Amino acid sequence: MIFYFSGTGNTKWVAQQLAEATGDTLYYIPDELRKGKLHYTLQPGERLGFCFPTHGWQPPHIVREFIKNANVNLNGNYIYAVTTCGDNMGYAMRILNKELSAKGLQTDATFAVLMPESNVCFSFLHLDTPEREQQKITAAREKVAHICQVVKDKQQGVEELIKGAIPFTYTYVIGGYYNKHLITDKHFWVDEDACIQCGLCARLCPVDDIEGLPPRWKHNGSCTNCLACYHHCPKHAIHWGKMKRGQYLFNL
Ligand SMILES: Cc1cc2nc3c(=O)[nH]c(=O)nc-3n(C[C@H](O)[C@H](O)[C@H](O)COP(=O)(O)O)c2cc1C
């Protein structure tokens, strides 16, 4: 069983590689939350994987909500987690491990994979150049092949993370503020002259937070700030605050 979340496709690709290598089934976390019945029983020998992007040096809100509400019956199973990040993930895995262990789940192996940047919400951050994107994806292919092997072999005690220089400050100080105040839909707006009213943003929103044409955000606290709406818009008609940034989608 592999539970994953992805806004722009980076983590989806990693999760798909793991599914191919192990034969394990992929579960998209937003679909599981929509179904509402979060009871899972693993067979003996089955692996349990969690794949998620790092958001503000923490796991995304939607992933944390899923873990909080899921009930997993284990049979001595191997458990691993992989996060993708554009730069570094701070102590995101520490938070994940703490929340998993509250549910009786203990990871045997944890990994981070450096992938192209998708965040357009920080003034000091820019998307990668196309050259840098390709460099990251080339290195990630090798890294993910290695992770697949470790997970297939069920190696224990593996910790291959990219914590950055000051992980505590990233995750608990800057990330703490970011996750408390900036994970919100209130900064999204639509350029109505550019919008072609295709409805793709609403269809892709993992928390069904967008309605109407042209799109409007519901402001009901459900947004997880994955930026799927922003990056997938075929006309780049969706913007975040005053930020002038490009778009990114995973592409091999
Ligand atoms: C809202 C938001 C916050 C992010 N925060 C971080 C971060 O703290 N550290 C980092 O290295 N990358 C950060 N990123 C970049 C993503 O983690 C990275 O691009 C990831 O691979 C995207 O995965 P996805 O395509 O599966 O959504 C952030 C991206 C978004 C959208």
Side-chain angles (χ1 to χ4, degrees):
M1 242 172 225
I2 303 173
F3 295 109
Y4 79 96
F5 178 62
S6 184
T8 49
N10 289 347
T11 317
K12 183 176 180 184
W13 171 70
V14 173
Q16 282 171 336
Q17 302 294 301
L18 279 155
E20 257 175 51
T22 58
D24 292 337
T25 308
L26 281 175
Y27 294 86
Y28 180 49
I29 286 175
D31 285 346
E32 296 306 295
L33 284 165
R34 282 185 186 113
K35 280 188 225 151
K37 250 185 107 193
L38 306 176
H39 291 276
Y40 308 93
T41 299
L42 279 96
Q43 301 306 313
E46 207 180 334
R47 298 170 199 80
L48 174 60
F50 295 90
C51 300
F52 61 93
T54 294
H55 281 179
W57 300 279
Q58 298 188 7
H61 286 199
I62 192 169
V63 173
R64 298 173 72 171
E65 185 195 337
F66 173 73
I67 290 169
K68 204 165 128 200
N69 291 297
N71 287 305
V72 184
N73 295 316
L74 294 178
N75 270 306
N77 305 87
Y78 179 81
I79 306 178
Y80 66 95
V82 186
T83 189
T84 68
C85 55
D87 188 17
N88 63 69
M89 31 86 67
Y91 282 144
M93 211 49 97
R94 187 182 277 192
I95 292 182
L96 184 92
N97 275 329
K98 196 168 165 208
E99 294 180 359
L100 285 178
S101 79
K103 306 292 299 208
L105 307 172
Q106 194 91 40
T107 49
D108 295 294
T110 52
F111 309 89
V113 183
L114 192 66
M115 291 293 287
E117 184 58 67
S118 63
N119 194 357
V120 296
C121 311
F122 287 153
S123 55
F124 57 86
L125 251 190
H126 287 267
L127 295 179
D128 294 313
T129 61
E131 295 73 30
R132 182 71 184 128
E133 278 178 13
Q134 278 319 306
Q135 278 171 5
K136 283 182 169 178
I137 289 172
T138 302
R141 282 178 196 267
E142 218 171 289
K143 179 72 190 175
V144 174
H146 160 75
I147 295 172
C148 288
Q149 198 55 53
V150 172
V151 167
K152 268 176 86 173
D153 296 345
K154 298 184 179 174
Q155 291 178 34
Q156 297 189 319
V158 182
E159 192 192 80
E160 298 178 6
L161 304 176
I162 311 169
K163 294 180 189 163
I166 41 170
F168 184 90
T169 306
Y170 289 148
T171 293
Y172 298 109
V173 182
I174 313 171
Y177 180 87
Y178 176 74
N179 277 280
K180 191 158 177 209
H181 300 291
L182 293 174
I183 303 293
T184 168
D185 58 10
K186 70 178 183 214
H187 301 295
F188 289 112
W189 58 276
V190 178
D191 175 349
E192 292 191 14
D193 293 333
C195 175
I196 52 168
Q197 309 211 354
C198 65
L200 184 64
C201 51
R203 288 199 297 282
L204 287 176
C205 176
V207 291
D208 306 316
D209 184 34
I210 302 174
E211 61 188 358
L213 290 172
R216 284 185 311 272
W217 283 259
K218 295 180 186 169
H219 305 314
N220 62 7
S222 62
C223 180
T224 194
N225 217 31
C226 65
L227 301 181
C229 55
Y230 172 98
H231 287 292
H232 280 87
C233 175
K235 295 294 174 188
H236 198 175
I238 294 176
H239 300 272
W240 197 92
K242 291 187 184 142
M243 235 54 91
K244 288 203 180 349
R245 295 286 186 274
Q247 290 174 298
Y248 166 76
L249 286 179
F250 175 79
N251 213 332
L252 265 187

